[in-house]
Each structure stands twice: as C-alpha cells, then as structure tokens.
Amino acid sequence: MVPDTTTSPRTGRQELLTALGEIEQRVLWLSAATIDHANRVRPNPTGLKVGGHQASCASMVSIMTTLWFHELTADDRVSVKPHASPALHAVNHLLGELPAEALTTLRSFGGLQSYPSRTKDPDPVDYSTGSVGIGATAPIWGALARRYVEGRFPGAGTGRQYALLGDAELDEGACWEAVQDPMVAGLGEVVWIVDLNRQSLDRVVPALSAERLAGMFEAAGWQVLTLKYGEQLTELFSRPGGEALRTRLDTMGNPEYQRLLRCTPAELRDRLPGTGSTREPLERLVATLDDDALHSAVRNLGGHDLGALLDAYAAIDDTRPTVILAYTVKGRGLHSEGHPQNHSSLLTRDQLADLATRTGADPDDPWRPLPDGAAARLCAERAGELRRPPVERIAPPPVPTDFGRTPGGTGTTQQAFGRALLDLSRSAPEAAARVVTVSPDVSSSTNLGGWLNKVGVWSPTERVDWFADDAETILHWRENPTGQHVELGIAETNLVGLLGELGATWSRWGQPLLPIGIMYDPFVNRALEPWQFGIYAGGQSLLVGTPSGVTLAPEGGAHQSITTPSLGLEQPGCTTWEPAFAQDAEWCVLAALSLLGRTDGGSAYLRLSTRPVDQSLAAVPADPAARERRRRQAVAGAYGLRRAEGTPDVTLAAMGAMVPEALAAADRLASLGVAADVVCVTSPGLLFRATQARRGLDDAPQWVLDQAFPAERAAPLVTLLDGHPHTLAFLGTVHNTPVTPLGVTHFGQSGALDEVYRHHGIDTESVVRAALDLTHRP
C-alpha cells in the first residue's frame, strides 16, 4: 500500500471524500441509466440488441471519480477503457461538457458512440478506444509525441498521460511490446491504472496473479503501486484473527473470491473461514461483525477506496512510468456485481429502481442535477479547472509538388523515397523541419541512411556516438533532442501506434507534424489494425511499406506480401500509391506529405520496391506543361504510358514493379499484330473512388478516368500487379469491358525473378497469352 500523503487545499480530507462519494454514486447511476435508456426506453423498431456494459462501468467509477474530480489537470490526457464509455459521458455531463439530452443518444445514429471516440463523440475524449490493447498503449505514444513536439515547437505542455484499462486487456501482446520498448522507460508522465476485476467477457479469470504482473512491469523499469484492500479490510486485519483473514484472502483463488460476492451474509459466515488452520480464528472474527459490515468488508477493495486512490496518485514517481494495479469488483454496487456472466447484462426495472434509491437518484427523472451542496460545488470547481482553451492550429508549411529534375539510369522506387526526403530538406526546409520518421530497426535497409545522417536520431537527452570516429561507419547514429528520426524496437504495432499519435499533434496541440513510418511491406498487415485505429482517431501519417511483393524473389514466401496493394480500396481515410518509377515515387511522396496535419487531410500508404528499373521507360515529358499533366495524372491514380497507333485491341493496366513486363508484352503483341495500350496505375484506391463517383456514390474527381482510360480507346483489359489480382479487377467497370486480372494468389517461392514471375503467372509470357485470349487471336 502507498502512504497517506494526500491533502486538499480546497477542503478537509473527510469533506473531500464525502463529496467524492456523492459524485461517485451519481456517476454509477448515470452510466447505468444511460445504458438502460438505450436498451429499454428509446424506441427500437428492429428489435436488435443495443448493448452496453453496466458492470464494466461500475468497476471504474471510483477510479474515474477520483481522477476527474480531484487529480487531473487541464494538461493531462486520459484513455478510457472501451466498455466504460458511458461512465466517461457521465463524468463529462457532471462537468458541464455534455447536456443531459445527449445521454439519451448512446449507440444511436449520430449519438454517443459505443466506445470513446475523439472524432465522433460530442464531448471531450482524449483517446479513441475500442480495440483491446490499442487504447492502453496510446498514451505511451501520446507522451512520446508530446515530448517530441514540445522539444521542437513549444506549447504542448507537460501533462500526464493516463490509461484506464481492464486487466483482461493485458492479455494483448501489444501491451507488453509497448511496456518493454527501450524508448518508454523514461516516460515518467505515463500512468496506467489497471481495473483488476479478475473477470473477462465469459468468466472469472482463474489464474490472474497481480504479483506476476507487478514483476513484469518492474522488470521493464516501471513503478508499481498495488491497491488491493480498502480501509475497512485494512482495519479488520489489525484485529484478533485479522492476519488469518489476510492470509485467507491472499491465497484464495479468483473464482472462489468471486463466489463470495454472490453469497448472503449467512452463507458468508460459513464459506469465508474456509477449512484449514484459519477457520477457527476467522469464525471468531466474523462473529464480531453484523451482516452489513460483513457484506461490505468482503468487497472492500483498494480500487473502490477513494482515499487509497488519492494516496496512490500522490505517490506517483514522475521519473518513470507508473502502473497502479487497482483491485476492483466488476459490477460494484449493482445487483450483478461479481457474477461471472455480468459483462453485458442489464439491470431489471426493479433493480434499476433500487439502484436509484441507493444512489439518491430519481428513476422518473434520471438526469436530474446533483442537489446544491459540496458535491455540486466540487463539480463546478473542477469544470473550470479542467476546461482547456481552444487549440490554435498552425497550418502546415507548403510541400512542393515537383523538385524539377528527372531521374535517369537504373534505380528503384525505394531509393527514390530516400532521395526525396533529402531533396525536401534542401528545397523546402520549413516543411522538412516538420518531418519525423519512425522505423523498427530497419532504417539502413530501407534507404533512410542519408536522411538519418542529415537530421540525426531523436532522443530525450544527447547520447555519445562511440562510432563517430570509425572510418568504416557509414550510418552515423547521432542521438539528441533535435533529431528527426525515432528508432523503436522490432515491433510494428509500436511503430504505427507512435505514428498515429505523431499524426494527431495538429489536433491536440495545434502543431502539425509530417510523420512517416517505414517498415517491411510483408509486415504491414501485422500493423494494420492499430494504424487504421489511429486514422479513425484523427492521426494523419504516411506509412511506407518496402520492399514488397514476390519481386523479393530470393527471400521466399514468408517475406512476399500479397494483399497490401488493395489497402487504398479498403481503408477509409487512406490514399495508397504504388509507383513504378522513381519520378512517380517522388511525386507521390510529396502528394502524401501534403495531406498531413490538415483538417481536410488524411493518411497515405506507399508501397515501394527494390527492383531496379530502367528509368527511361517512364518517358517523362520534357515539356513543362506536359510534365505537369503527367504529374497530376500520376498523383490522381494512373496515366497512359504508351498508346498504340490507331485503335487498341487490348489495354494492359499494370502497377508498380510489373510495368516493365507490361511494356515488354506490348512489344511482343505488336509483333503479332495486336495493338496494345499500356496504362501505368499508381493508385487503385483513387481510381476506385473515381468509378464510384461516376455512379453518384462518392464526391471524388473523375477526370483521371477520362485521361487514363479514354472512352474512344476502350478495349479488353489485362491488369497486372505484384499482389492479389482483385486489386485492379474493378477496372473493367470503367467502360464495361472484359478483363483478365493477373497477380499473386498463393504463397511465394524462393528463386530467380523470372522463375518466380513465371510461377505466379505474372511474367511477360503470361501477359501476352492473356491478351491473345481476350482478343481471340489464334
């Protein structure tokens, strides 16, 4: 337990605890009533279950009451576990941030969201949560993002970053990947409060051990504060038989303890003493307690003891991350408390009426304000203290659209990406100053070396580069607070978690960054869920996947990505580009950066390749007007790379590393008397949106379809990419032409490039055969 060091400058401790207790009861009532209204009061013509989590809210009300109504400052940020969303709305209502009528809209269309959402809820929400584990780790990356911003563009403040999470969330590996990352140990503003109710959705967790969890956090350098018992039980431990009671509770399994919560006082007198050596002294101790005292003592845990919670907050060590393991009862104060299946159970009407009586509420007027008194005054006082001034958002610096040079020779799109960052630092230093790159220990293998040597690696403090005088060192690892690259351990979920928070600084503190995350493309799917959750929460970033596809022939099937090209079709708020040439890569990088840090912006995904390509194949126009036309088309999704004389017999639409095969196939077809157009596709997602817009289903521009696929040149299509063929299959709908999609549909093989392409049917020979089949040539 932590020492009692809390004092209140505004009132005496007991008066404070009394007011907090009244607020706690009102939060409990409002969260339960909000869920009840959604399920039983609001009309539901479909009869579908609305849902909600009264028990999950109940286990959190003590923690949330003490945080918001005593501990938090306006600079602090809190991530609230998903199923406690109604409790958060109840708190915001008591703080005057949410009108009573809004509490009637939980889970309705356009109303309060099922889980906290920064972008969709009308009241203040610091972190979007809803996917288990992601909300828990978000404040870690939020703390790092705040430090980065504050070091370069002051004004982000110094507040704590809290995460309120359920103990079952700790089953997620993402939590432990974040906890042990080397960048985290110095983030003293991070505080996790674990709602240790020992239940999951289906059951009581049989083997959950707070001691084991504490050891894991301590090994990662975290401060651990454990709140197991409340004041009443602590006092009982000091009585005769008290040590036996402590021993009995400490050694009792979770399911047995939970069963005690469902017992009548008479049953408790029989069950609590147990059958071992503790039975006799416990029977004597229990005999001294009346039924009410015995009933309350069993559930008197630290996570519901307001004073113990205040003391824990006061004991936080701000030099390292802290976790508070707060023992709680799921459903505390409800008729369902402690039941193994109470996760989404609803109180009956009679039970809700009883809860109203016990909490001082009125079931006929559920949103009635707190009566005048200390609790109402504390709510008003805290509302003023926690109200944040409006964020003044700085517009991101302009990003150039073209550096004005044309790459020559043989090169890769991955190399072009690295050069584009260096060119940006020379051509647009203000925009480059906002760039921050993040990678999981793959900087040197993804062509970031030149950028790192120029800008350095970010670290809260300067560290000695012991290889600075080594003549054979090519990559200079200079770590200091002015660096613009953040290197994490090899955990992709950490990278995209940080990426999402770096991409949200424009909305949190008004300071836009241009965050770029780089990882191997085969591992993008591993990181996709937390990244898309960051996009949902308003984080704007550029994710670069490289190297990609079966073009990584020698690496074998495990390192050959298949499904990533269709990201742009499927992920809201994200534009995907897969350029074929270095010039296209440069234009797409700049277009992606121009989307970041803006109210009307969005995220982007860039799929790059390590295949060397003859850059003369790009045939970049020399005329400035024609060059700009090509750039606009490349950024919009596609351009005509080669037009056959007269009317084409077939169109080859190829993307990324496969464009050379399409050009070679067009030459072969021409020798057979088959005229083929070649269209270079750079963004399937943008083309799909354009086709949807033609049907009135999107507001995206359509002009790129007319320029890349003009109606007068409509012909049967062969689509080709180093990825799943469904990505481009929709192109046949542009003019309702037959289409043969070629791509990769099964795990790859090691081998030479021509062998692997032939194996998957994406080589030049396969393209020629598909075109001949479509044109019915002999």
Side-chain angles (χ1 to χ4, degrees), residues 632-640 679-683 687 704 707-709:
R632 291 182 67 247
Q633 291 173 339
V635 168
Y639 57 88
V679 176
C680 181
V681 175
T682 54
S683 177
L687 295 183
V704 66
Q707 294 191 11
F709 301 95

Side-chain angles (χ1 to χ4, degrees), residues 297-377:
V298 170
R299 49 195 33 80
N300 181 230
L301 299 181
H304 299 298
D305 189 300
L306 303 179
L309 285 163
L310 296 183
D311 294 342
Y313 304 149
I316 291 172
D317 177 2
D318 286 320
T319 66
R320 54 181 173 150
T322 294
V323 60
I324 300 174
L325 301 175
Y327 280 76
T328 61
V329 173
K330 191 167 184 175
R332 164 79 175 190
L334 307 181
H335 284 262
S336 61
E337 68 177 2
H339 194 280
Q341 282 85 52
N342 68 4
H343 182 75
S344 58
S345 64
L346 292 173
L347 298 178
T348 66
R349 294 189 183 281
D350 289 343
Q351 290 170 347
L352 191 73
D354 178 65
L355 178 65
T357 300
R358 289 187 288 109
T359 58
D362 182 353
D364 296 322
D365 185 12
W367 324 119
R368 184 181 68 188
L370 283 167
D372 290 339
R377 289 194 298 273

Side-chain angles (χ1 to χ4, degrees), residues 136-221:
T137 58
I140 289 178
W141 312 123
L144 204 155
R146 185 205 60 76
R147 286 199 182 197
Y148 184 92
V149 170
E150 181 64 20
R152 300 184 68 86
F153 312 104
T158 58
R160 284 178 179 166
Q161 304 285 324
Y162 289 89
L164 310 184
L165 61 151
D167 49 13
E169 283 195 81
L170 294 176
D171 290 344
E172 285 288 342
C175 291
W176 299 107
E177 287 181 343
V179 164
Q180 62 80 43
D181 192 278
M183 293 293 291
V184 173
L187 298 177
E189 62 268 47
V190 171
V191 179
W192 281 15
I193 304 177
V194 180
D195 172 17
L196 202 71
N197 58 51
R198 294 176 276 190
Q199 282 187 237
S200 62
L201 190 150
D202 292 327
R203 60 175 182 162
V204 177
V205 180
L208 177 68
S209 169
E211 291 77 15
R212 179 175 62 87
L213 293 175
M216 294 166 69
F217 278 105
E218 287 171 346

Side-chain angles (χ1 to χ4, degrees), residues 366-388:
W367 324 119
R368 184 181 68 188
L370 283 167
D372 290 339
R377 289 194 298 273
L378 180 57
C379 288
E381 183 178 345
R382 291 297 290 158
E385 293 171 350
L386 294 177
R387 192 156 293 128
R388 298 168 186 159

Side-chain angles (χ1 to χ4, degrees), residues 406-412 419 580-584 611-622 630 639-642 659-660 663 667:
T406 303
T410 299
T412 74
R419 283 197 301 269
F581 302 106
Q583 184 62 76
D584 297 347
R611 183 186 184 185
V613 173
D614 179 0
Q615 297 302 308
S616 67
L617 296 175
V620 179
R630 166 71 70 84
Y639 57 88
L641 180 57
R642 182 182 296 179
V659 169
L663 291 170
D667 292 337

Side-chain angles (χ1 to χ4, degrees), residues 15-66:
E15 288 80 2
L16 171 64
L17 294 177
T18 300
L20 289 174
E22 187 176 346
I23 296 171
E24 174 192 37
Q25 292 300 296
R26 186 52 58 97
V27 173
L28 176 64
W29 163 256
L30 287 173
S31 60
T34 297
I35 296 168
D36 182 78
H37 189 280
N39 285 273
R40 291 206 176 96
V41 180
R42 192 171 65 229
N44 182 12
T46 66
L48 294 175
K49 175 186 175 182
V50 177
H53 303 85
Q54 291 174 331
S56 295
C57 289
S59 64
M60 288 293 297
V61 294
S62 307
I63 294 169
M64 295 178 69
T65 298
T66 50

Side-chain angles (χ1 to χ4, degrees), residues 93-107:
H93 168 64
L94 293 176
L95 291 171
E97 298 285 0
L98 193 68
E101 55 268 22
L103 297 176
T104 67
T105 68
L106 179 70
R107 298 191 175 209

